[in-house]
Amino acid sequence: FYIKNVFNEKNYLLRTHATNFQSKIMKENVNKNIKAFTIGKVYRKDDQDSTHLIQYNNLDVFCIGSLENGTVSFSNLYWTLNYVMGKIFDDQQIKIRFRNSFFPFTEPSCEVDLSCIKCKEEIMQDCKLCSGSGWIEVLGAGMIHPNVLRNNGIDSKKFGGFAFGVGIERILMIK
C-alpha cells in the first residue's frame, strides 16, 4: 500500500510490520534479558478471505534471555503461547499446534493454529469458524534469528530469543 505525497510527489509505503521497535529495544539493552511488546497499525495485501484484513492492529511480542538459564527455547515459546491463548480464550484446555513456515527474522519459524473454540473435540464439517478442519490459524512465531541479535549488538552465542505477532482483530473475530 503506497500513498503519494502531493507536495513532493514521492510514494510512501504504509507500515507492513510493527516489529521495528525490537531493534531499538535490543540496542538499548545489549546482552540483557528483555521481555517486550508493542501494538501498531499495519497494512497488508494478504489472502482475500474472511480471516484476513488489509489493515489491522498487530501485537508483537519478544523475549530475549541468556542461553545458559534455558528460558528462551522453542519449548518456552510453545508454553508461552499455550498459556497466553488459554488466558485470552478463558480455556486452559485449549490446544495449539505449530506448522512450519518462513519469516525472515526468525529461524525456525512457524504458523500457530488454535483448536476450534466452537467445534471443540467434535469436528463439525459445517463449522464456519474453522471450515470443518478443527483448527484456526491465529499467529506467526519463531526463534529470533542469530543474525538479528548480532546486528543489534547482542552476542548470539550467549543470548537467544523468541518472538510472535498476532492481529488483535483476528483474536476478536474468533472470540
Side-chain angles (χ1 to χ4, degrees), residues 122-155:
E122 24 168 305
I123 298 172
M124 301 181 297
Q125 296 303 318
D126 62 340
C127 180
K128 292 188 181 359
L129 192 56
C130 69
S131 302
S133 71
W135 296 96
I136 307 161
E137 177 188 336
V138 287
L139 59 93
M143 300 305 292
I144 299 172
H145 197 291
N147 288 343
V148 172
L149 297 171
R150 282 191 294 270
N151 288 341
N152 287 289
I154 295 173
D155 185 346

Short mmCIF file of all heavy atoms in Angstrom, two decimals, residues 122-155:
data_model
loop_
_atom_site.label_atom_id
_atom_site.label_comp_id
_atom_site.label_asym_id
_atom_site.label_seq_id
_atom_site.Cartn_x
_atom_site.Cartn_y
_atom_site.Cartn_z
N GLU A 122 -15.23 -32.30 18.79
CA GLU A 122 -16.03 -32.89 17.72
C GLU A 122 -15.99 -31.97 16.51
O GLU A 122 -16.65 -30.95 16.46
CB GLU A 122 -17.47 -33.12 18.17
CG GLU A 122 -17.85 -32.20 19.32
CD GLU A 122 -19.32 -32.18 19.64
OE1 GLU A 122 -20.15 -31.90 18.75
OE2 GLU A 122 -19.63 -32.43 20.80
N ILE A 123 -15.22 -32.35 15.51
CA ILE A 123 -15.04 -31.52 14.33
C ILE A 123 -16.33 -31.54 13.51
O ILE A 123 -16.80 -32.59 13.09
CB ILE A 123 -13.84 -31.99 13.50
CG1 ILE A 123 -12.57 -31.88 14.34
CG2 ILE A 123 -13.73 -31.20 12.20
CD1 ILE A 123 -11.36 -32.50 13.70
N MET A 124 -16.90 -30.34 13.30
CA MET A 124 -18.15 -30.22 12.55
C MET A 124 -17.83 -29.74 11.14
O MET A 124 -17.20 -28.70 10.97
CB MET A 124 -19.08 -29.23 13.25
CG MET A 124 -19.44 -29.63 14.67
SD MET A 124 -20.56 -28.49 15.51
CE MET A 124 -19.62 -26.99 15.58
N GLN A 125 -18.25 -30.49 10.15
CA GLN A 125 -17.96 -30.16 8.76
C GLN A 125 -18.55 -28.82 8.35
O GLN A 125 -18.03 -28.15 7.48
CB GLN A 125 -18.46 -31.27 7.83
CG GLN A 125 -17.75 -32.60 8.05
CD GLN A 125 -16.24 -32.48 7.89
OE1 GLN A 125 -15.73 -31.83 7.00
NE2 GLN A 125 -15.51 -33.12 8.80
N ASP A 126 -19.65 -28.41 8.98
CA ASP A 126 -20.30 -27.15 8.60
C ASP A 126 -19.87 -25.96 9.47
O ASP A 126 -20.47 -24.90 9.41
CB ASP A 126 -21.82 -27.31 8.63
CG ASP A 126 -22.35 -27.63 10.03
OD1 ASP A 126 -21.56 -28.10 10.88
OD2 ASP A 126 -23.54 -27.42 10.26
N CYS A 127 -18.81 -26.13 10.29
CA CYS A 127 -18.34 -25.05 11.16
C CYS A 127 -17.77 -23.92 10.30
O CYS A 127 -16.83 -24.12 9.54
CB CYS A 127 -17.29 -25.56 12.13
SG CYS A 127 -16.68 -24.28 13.24
N LYS A 128 -18.34 -22.74 10.45
CA LYS A 128 -17.88 -21.59 9.68
C LYS A 128 -16.60 -20.98 10.27
O LYS A 128 -15.89 -20.26 9.60
CB LYS A 128 -18.98 -20.54 9.59
CG LYS A 128 -20.15 -21.00 8.74
CD LYS A 128 -21.11 -19.86 8.52
CE LYS A 128 -22.33 -20.18 7.71
NZ LYS A 128 -22.54 -21.46 7.18
N LEU A 129 -16.32 -21.27 11.53
CA LEU A 129 -15.14 -20.71 12.18
C LEU A 129 -13.85 -21.39 11.71
O LEU A 129 -12.87 -20.73 11.42
CB LEU A 129 -15.28 -20.82 13.70
CG LEU A 129 -14.31 -20.04 14.55
CD1 LEU A 129 -14.31 -18.56 14.21
CD2 LEU A 129 -14.63 -20.23 16.02
N CYS A 130 -13.88 -22.72 11.59
CA CYS A 130 -12.66 -23.46 11.21
C CYS A 130 -12.80 -24.16 9.86
O CYS A 130 -11.88 -24.88 9.46
CB CYS A 130 -12.30 -24.48 12.28
SG CYS A 130 -13.45 -25.86 12.39
N SER A 131 -13.89 -23.97 9.18
CA SER A 131 -14.16 -24.62 7.89
C SER A 131 -14.09 -26.15 7.99
O SER A 131 -13.67 -26.83 7.06
CB SER A 131 -13.20 -24.13 6.81
OG SER A 131 -13.31 -22.74 6.67
N GLY A 132 -14.46 -26.67 9.15
CA GLY A 132 -14.50 -28.12 9.34
C GLY A 132 -13.17 -28.78 9.59
O GLY A 132 -13.08 -29.99 9.66
N SER A 133 -12.10 -27.99 9.77
CA SER A 133 -10.77 -28.59 9.98
C SER A 133 -10.47 -28.86 11.45
O SER A 133 -9.58 -29.64 11.77
CB SER A 133 -9.69 -27.67 9.42
OG SER A 133 -9.56 -26.52 10.23
N GLY A 134 -11.17 -28.15 12.35
CA GLY A 134 -10.89 -28.27 13.78
C GLY A 134 -9.81 -27.32 14.28
O GLY A 134 -9.53 -27.26 15.46
N TRP A 135 -9.20 -26.53 13.35
CA TRP A 135 -8.11 -25.62 13.70
C TRP A 135 -8.31 -24.25 13.08
O TRP A 135 -8.84 -24.13 11.98
CB TRP A 135 -6.76 -26.17 13.23
CG TRP A 135 -6.40 -27.45 13.90
CD1 TRP A 135 -6.62 -28.71 13.43
CD2 TRP A 135 -5.78 -27.60 15.18
NE1 TRP A 135 -6.16 -29.64 14.33
CE2 TRP A 135 -5.64 -28.98 15.41
CE3 TRP A 135 -5.34 -26.70 16.14
CZ2 TRP A 135 -5.07 -29.48 16.58
CZ3 TRP A 135 -4.76 -27.20 17.30
CH2 TRP A 135 -4.63 -28.57 17.51
N ILE A 136 -7.84 -23.21 13.77
CA ILE A 136 -7.92 -21.83 13.29
C ILE A 136 -6.52 -21.23 13.32
O ILE A 136 -5.85 -21.24 14.37
CB ILE A 136 -8.83 -20.97 14.20
CG1 ILE A 136 -10.20 -21.64 14.38
CG2 ILE A 136 -8.98 -19.57 13.65
CD1 ILE A 136 -10.96 -21.11 15.57
N GLU A 137 -6.06 -20.70 12.20
CA GLU A 137 -4.75 -20.02 12.16
C GLU A 137 -4.86 -18.72 12.94
O GLU A 137 -5.77 -17.93 12.70
CB GLU A 137 -4.38 -19.73 10.71
CG GLU A 137 -3.09 -18.98 10.55
CD GLU A 137 -2.84 -18.53 9.12
OE1 GLU A 137 -3.37 -19.14 8.19
OE2 GLU A 137 -2.11 -17.53 8.97
N VAL A 138 -3.92 -18.50 13.88
CA VAL A 138 -4.01 -17.28 14.69
C VAL A 138 -2.80 -16.36 14.63
O VAL A 138 -2.95 -15.16 14.76
CB VAL A 138 -4.33 -17.58 16.18
CG1 VAL A 138 -5.76 -18.00 16.36
CG2 VAL A 138 -3.41 -18.60 16.78
N LEU A 139 -1.59 -16.91 14.46
CA LEU A 139 -0.43 -16.02 14.53
C LEU A 139 0.81 -16.67 13.96
O LEU A 139 0.82 -17.87 13.68
CB LEU A 139 -0.17 -15.59 15.98
CG LEU A 139 0.10 -16.66 17.03
CD1 LEU A 139 1.59 -16.89 17.19
CD2 LEU A 139 -0.48 -16.23 18.37
N GLY A 140 1.85 -15.87 13.81
CA GLY A 140 3.16 -16.34 13.38
C GLY A 140 4.15 -16.19 14.52
O GLY A 140 4.04 -15.28 15.34
N ALA A 141 5.14 -17.10 14.58
CA ALA A 141 6.10 -17.09 15.69
C ALA A 141 7.40 -17.74 15.27
O ALA A 141 7.51 -18.31 14.18
CB ALA A 141 5.51 -17.84 16.88
N GLY A 142 8.38 -17.67 16.15
CA GLY A 142 9.64 -18.35 15.91
C GLY A 142 10.73 -17.89 16.86
O GLY A 142 10.52 -17.01 17.70
N MET A 143 11.88 -18.51 16.68
CA MET A 143 13.06 -18.13 17.45
C MET A 143 13.77 -17.00 16.70
O MET A 143 13.94 -17.07 15.48
CB MET A 143 14.00 -19.33 17.59
CG MET A 143 13.37 -20.53 18.30
SD MET A 143 12.69 -20.14 19.93
CE MET A 143 14.16 -19.79 20.86
N ILE A 144 14.16 -15.97 17.41
CA ILE A 144 14.81 -14.82 16.78
C ILE A 144 16.10 -15.28 16.11
O ILE A 144 16.93 -15.94 16.74
CB ILE A 144 15.08 -13.69 17.79
CG1 ILE A 144 13.75 -13.20 18.39
CG2 ILE A 144 15.84 -12.54 17.14
CD1 ILE A 144 13.90 -12.22 19.53
N HIS A 145 16.25 -14.93 14.85
CA HIS A 145 17.40 -15.36 14.06
C HIS A 145 18.69 -14.79 14.69
O HIS A 145 18.72 -13.61 15.07
CB HIS A 145 17.26 -14.87 12.62
CG HIS A 145 18.15 -15.57 11.66
ND1 HIS A 145 19.52 -15.41 11.65
CD2 HIS A 145 17.87 -16.47 10.68
CE1 HIS A 145 20.04 -16.16 10.71
NE2 HIS A 145 19.06 -16.82 10.10
N PRO A 146 19.75 -15.59 14.79
CA PRO A 146 21.01 -15.09 15.36
C PRO A 146 21.54 -13.84 14.65
O PRO A 146 22.15 -12.98 15.29
CB PRO A 146 21.98 -16.27 15.17
CG PRO A 146 21.10 -17.47 15.12
CD PRO A 146 19.82 -17.02 14.47
N ASN A 147 21.31 -13.72 13.34
CA ASN A 147 21.76 -12.50 12.63
C ASN A 147 21.06 -11.25 13.16
O ASN A 147 21.66 -10.18 13.21
CB ASN A 147 21.51 -12.63 11.13
CG ASN A 147 22.44 -13.62 10.48
OD1 ASN A 147 23.47 -13.99 11.04
ND2 ASN A 147 22.07 -14.08 9.29
N VAL A 148 19.79 -11.38 13.53
CA VAL A 148 19.06 -10.23 14.08
C VAL A 148 19.70 -9.82 15.40
O VAL A 148 19.91 -8.63 15.66
CB VAL A 148 17.56 -10.57 14.27
CG1 VAL A 148 16.83 -9.47 15.02
CG2 VAL A 148 16.89 -10.85 12.93
N LEU A 149 20.02 -10.80 16.22
CA LEU A 149 20.67 -10.49 17.50
C LEU A 149 22.02 -9.83 17.27
O LEU A 149 22.31 -8.77 17.83
CB LEU A 149 20.83 -11.77 18.33
CG LEU A 149 19.54 -12.47 18.75
CD1 LEU A 149 19.83 -13.82 19.37
CD2 LEU A 149 18.72 -11.60 19.69
N ARG A 150 22.85 -10.43 16.42
CA ARG A 150 24.19 -9.89 16.14
C ARG A 150 24.11 -8.47 15.56
O ARG A 150 24.89 -7.59 15.93
CB ARG A 150 24.95 -10.80 15.19
CG ARG A 150 25.53 -12.02 15.86
CD ARG A 150 26.50 -12.77 14.96
NE ARG A 150 25.85 -13.37 13.80
CZ ARG A 150 25.35 -14.59 13.77
NH1 ARG A 150 25.40 -15.34 14.85
NH2 ARG A 150 24.79 -15.06 12.68
N ASN A 151 23.18 -8.25 14.64
CA ASN A 151 23.04 -6.92 14.01
C ASN A 151 22.62 -5.84 15.01
O ASN A 151 22.76 -4.66 14.73
CB ASN A 151 22.05 -6.97 12.86
CG ASN A 151 22.59 -7.71 11.66
OD1 ASN A 151 23.80 -7.90 11.53
ND2 ASN A 151 21.70 -8.14 10.78
N ASN A 152 22.13 -6.27 16.17
CA ASN A 152 21.74 -5.31 17.19
C ASN A 152 22.70 -5.32 18.39
O ASN A 152 22.38 -4.83 19.46
CB ASN A 152 20.31 -5.60 17.64
CG ASN A 152 19.32 -5.18 16.59
OD1 ASN A 152 19.11 -3.98 16.36
ND2 ASN A 152 18.72 -6.14 15.90
N GLY A 153 23.90 -5.90 18.17
CA GLY A 153 24.95 -5.85 19.18
C GLY A 153 24.85 -6.91 20.26
O GLY A 153 25.57 -6.85 21.26
N ILE A 154 23.99 -7.89 20.08
CA ILE A 154 23.79 -8.93 21.10
C ILE A 154 24.60 -10.17 20.73
O ILE A 154 24.59 -10.60 19.57
CB ILE A 154 22.29 -9.27 21.25
CG1 ILE A 154 21.55 -8.03 21.79
CG2 ILE A 154 22.08 -10.47 22.16
CD1 ILE A 154 20.06 -8.17 21.84
N ASP A 155 25.29 -10.74 21.69
CA ASP A 155 26.10 -11.93 21.48
C ASP A 155 25.18 -13.14 21.32
O ASP A 155 24.61 -13.64 22.29
CB ASP A 155 27.05 -12.13 22.67
CG ASP A 155 28.02 -13.29 22.48
OD1 ASP A 155 27.80 -14.11 21.56
OD2 ASP A 155 28.98 -13.36 23.26
#
